[in-house]
């Protein structure tokens, strides 16, 4: 029980950072990604949070953010550039055929990811006034 109590503040902090990354709330602060990944590593090694869950969640967050054309291109590019790190962790944790298959699918997703241009801010603003 004490590990769960100890985990809560770190888990909440990690979740808040994930929302900041996914929504591009501070796209000019690439250190946020490093901080998020570091917090995830702490959760995986020092709390009851399973390392596979942390790595998969981190990978999906970075890939989903990279593919979101509503976010600034430079932020999406930063996320894509860092997605290999949780993918590497997933590979190390792939001790069974099921996980290895999932890792391969994630590796393929990263290998074939192509960043489309972001939607210009002016187009986003026009879209809301057209309705």
């Amino acid at each position: 029980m004490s590990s769960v109590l100890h985990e809560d503040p770190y888990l909440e902090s990690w979740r808040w950072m994930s929302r900041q990354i996914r929504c591009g709330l501070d796209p000019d602060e690439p250190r946020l990604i490093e901080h998020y990944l570091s917090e995830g590593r702490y959760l995986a090694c020092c709390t009851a949070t399973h390392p596979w869950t942390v790595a998969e969640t981190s990978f999906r967050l970075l890939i989903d953010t990279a593919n979101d054309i509503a976010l600034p291109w430079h932020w999406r590019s930063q996320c894509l550039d860092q997605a290999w790190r949780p993918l590497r962790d997933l590979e190390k944790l792939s001790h069974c055929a099921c996980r290895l298959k999932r890792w391969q699918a994630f590796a393929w997703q990263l290998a074939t990811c192509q960043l489309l241009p972001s939607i210009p801010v002016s187009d986003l603003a026009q879209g809301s006034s057209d309705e």
Side-chain angles (χ1 to χ4, degrees), residues 17-70:
M17 284 186 274
S18 74
R19 287 188 290 274
Q20 289 179 299
I21 291 169
R22 185 62 187 89
C23 296
L25 297 180
D26 198 359
D28 295 323
E29 186 50 76
R31 291 176 296 184
L32 176 61
I33 298 168
E34 171 58 35
H35 191 94
Y36 170 77
L37 294 173
S38 294
E39 196 85 4
R41 284 191 301 273
Y42 177 83
L43 283 169
C45 78
C46 301
T47 71
T49 306
H50 196 277
W52 180 273
T53 302
V54 170
E56 182 176 357
T57 301
S58 299
F59 176 77
R60 287 177 177 232
L61 171 78
L62 294 172
I63 283 293
D64 290 348
T65 304
N67 284 313
D68 188 343
I69 61 172

Side-chain angles (χ1 to χ4, degrees), residues 35-117:
H35 191 94
Y36 170 77
L37 294 173
S38 294
E39 196 85 4
R41 284 191 301 273
Y42 177 83
L43 283 169
C45 78
C46 301
T47 71
T49 306
H50 196 277
W52 180 273
T53 302
V54 170
E56 182 176 357
T57 301
S58 299
F59 176 77
R60 287 177 177 232
L61 171 78
L62 294 172
I63 283 293
D64 290 348
T65 304
N67 284 313
D68 188 343
I69 61 172
L71 296 174
W73 189 89
H74 72 281
W75 182 245
R76 296 169 51 218
S77 179
Q78 285 287 330
C79 290
L80 185 61
D81 287 347
Q82 295 302 315
W84 67 270
R85 296 170 72 196
L87 185 64
R88 176 197 55 204
D89 296 340
L90 288 169
E91 181 182 24
K92 290 177 186 176
L93 297 166
S94 297
H95 302 299
C96 64
C98 178
R99 283 192 179 169
L100 183 59
K101 187 174 182 174
R102 289 181 71 171
W103 173 80
Q104 289 170 337
F106 292 145
W108 180 253
Q109 191 177 5
L110 179 59
T112 59
C113 183
Q114 294 181 358
L115 290 186
L116 298 174

